[in-house]
Amino acid sequence: MTHDVLIGIDAGTSVLKAVAFTLDGKQLDVVSLPNQFETLAKGGAEQDMARTWADCAACLRGLTDRVPGLASRTALVSVTGQGDGTC
């Protein structure tokens, strides 16, 4: 099968999403979940990385349900997060 899909994963502070694109940038589908966080004193935020990882996997499973043959068609996966805050 042709590798004709790009996947972008964004683990933002409030929303985690996985998006599938064609090689020329057309969005095929997106799945998102609220990202859970706890507000700390002085405006900080803390997230449970195991929870974030589980939610990321859930978004990818959801994307797999929506885009036919996604696993075998994927050419590239790119991940971004909250700058240097996702460790």
Side-chain angles (χ1 to χ4, degrees):
M1 181 164 279
T2 303
H3 294 100
D4 62 346
V5 177
L6 307 173
I7 297 175
I9 299 169
D10 180 23
T13 303
S14 59
V15 176
L16 195 142
K17 61 184 159 258
V19 188
F21 298 95
T22 63
L23 296 179
D24 61 357
K26 178 185 172 203
Q27 183 176 311
L28 297 172
D29 217 321
V30 61
V31 175
S32 63
L33 289 170
N35 206 350
Q36 306 297 315
F37 64 93
E38 179 181 335
T39 303
L40 303 176
K42 298 184 182 179
E46 185 173 271
Q47 293 174 277
D48 178 341
M49 287 295 104
R51 169 74 186 256
T52 298
W53 175 250
D55 288 345
C56 177
C59 285
L60 288 170
R61 283 191 300 275
L63 202 58
T64 299
D65 292 341
R66 295 180 182 195
V67 179
L70 181 65
S72 62
R73 293 174 60 194
T74 300
L76 170 79
V77 177
S78 179
V79 181
T80 186
Q82 302 131 21
D84 61 359
T86 302
C87 308

